[in-house]
Amino acid sequence: MMMNLFSSFDPSSYFMLPLNWLSMIISFLFIPSMFWLIPNRFNFLIQNMLITLHKEFKIITKKNNTLMFIVLFYFIMINNLMGLFPYIFTASSHMIFTLSLALPLWLSFMLNSWISHTYHSFAHLMPQGTPSILMPFMVCIETISNIIRPGTLAIRLSANMIAGHLLLTLLGNTGPMVNLLIFLIIMIQFMLILLESAVALIQSYVFAILSTLYSSENN
């Protein structure tokens, strides 16, 4: 029995190893398309998504090297969707997972910007047309906004994934108590699962598109 509501999100260890983190790579067993003689609808869907994402990321970055952001999108999307299945650990609901993605990306963008374009990086801290009296405040505000970017990326993803899972957990725990409303609770859970599927796709897209915007801004 759970000691508290959030204990269902705690990583557990078996044989001194946190085996539930393996859920991040389980889904890759079902993806390879090289074994299909004739592409199926799933392959066509993945291919169309890849082409659409490449076009959007290419417009933002103004370059053709969008592979990193497309892989980032697929990786987060797969982890979000796998977490909707019963008894599968949701890695994307933990700050360890989200910070491990957001912090190296942000750090690489910032280091590249400050090392390769030092003058423009300093100029970026001062928006054009700022009054002289507001210049110190604008530098502080822009500096803080740049520093908190990896935190906002990580918290946005993990908080959105936890919120939906908490609702599903609450409804699942109240089901045995109200037998008369069990049908209504099942319908609500079904609608919440559809909503969570949409949230899983949207949050992976938001994470990837914001990373692309930060990359283009620093370059």
Side-chain angles (χ1 to χ4, degrees):
M1 183 177 180
M2 293 187 301
M3 298 301 296
N4 57 67
L5 189 61
F6 291 92
S7 61
S8 60
F9 299 99
D10 294 336
S12 56
S13 299
Y14 304 95
F15 306 107
M16 304 300 294
L17 292 173
L19 297 180
N20 50 4
W21 288 101
L22 292 176
S23 63
M24 293 188 297
I25 61 174
I26 289 176
S27 57
F28 288 100
L29 299 175
F30 306 97
I31 287 180
S33 58
M34 65 181 66
F35 302 107
W36 293 88
L37 295 178
I38 300 176
N40 57 3
R41 293 180 181 178
F42 179 75
N43 299 135
F44 283 118
L45 176 62
I46 295 296
Q47 187 69 23
N48 290 334
M49 288 177 63
L50 190 148
I51 294 173
T52 304
L53 289 172
H54 173 70
K55 290 179 180 178
E56 292 191 12
F57 294 160
K58 183 179 179 181
I59 294 174
I60 297 174
T61 59
K62 298 179 181 179
K63 297 178 181 178
N64 288 322
N65 54 348
T66 60
L67 180 61
M68 179 181 68
F69 303 107
I70 294 175
V71 171
L72 181 66
F73 168 81
Y74 277 120
F75 184 59
I76 297 174
M77 180 188 67
I78 288 168
N79 280 277
N80 292 346
L81 293 176
M82 289 293 292
L84 297 177
F85 290 93
Y87 303 106
I88 294 182
F89 180 67
T90 310
S92 54
S93 63
H94 283 261
M95 290 293 294
I96 295 175
F97 176 86
T98 54
L99 273 178
S100 298
L101 294 177
L103 194 58
L105 282 174
W106 171 83
L107 191 60
S108 61
F109 296 154
M110 293 299 294
L111 288 176
N112 177 60
S113 175
W114 284 95
I115 293 174
S116 303
H117 313 285
T118 307
Y119 177 78
H120 292 287
S121 298
F122 278 111
H124 181 70
L125 297 177
M126 183 62 59
Q128 188 175 5
T130 304
S132 300
I133 193 172
L134 296 178
M135 286 184 178
F137 300 101
M138 292 304 299
V139 172
C140 294
I141 292 172
E142 289 294 327
T143 303
I144 293 173
S145 67
N146 286 330
I147 292 174
I148 65 174
R149 281 179 176 179
T152 56
L153 273 177
I155 293 172
R156 180 186 292 109
L157 177 58
S158 60
N160 279 281
M161 296 309 299
I162 285 179
H165 286 69
L166 282 177
L167 288 174
L168 292 172
T169 304
L170 283 171
L171 288 174
N173 291 337
T174 57
M177 303 178 188
V178 282
N179 294 326
L180 297 177
L181 300 177
I182 190 67
F183 180 75
L184 179 62
I185 292 176
I186 291 175
M187 291 300 297
I188 295 175
Q189 283 187 328
F190 178 74
M191 294 173 64
L192 278 176
I193 289 176
L194 293 179
L195 177 63
E196 278 299 295
S197 301
V199 169
L201 295 173
I202 292 171
Q203 288 304 314
S204 55
Y205 176 76
V206 168
F207 194 100
I209 201 71
L210 286 178
S211 301
T212 310
L213 288 171
Y214 295 158
S215 172
S216 62
E217 183 179 324
N218 289 321
N219 290 330

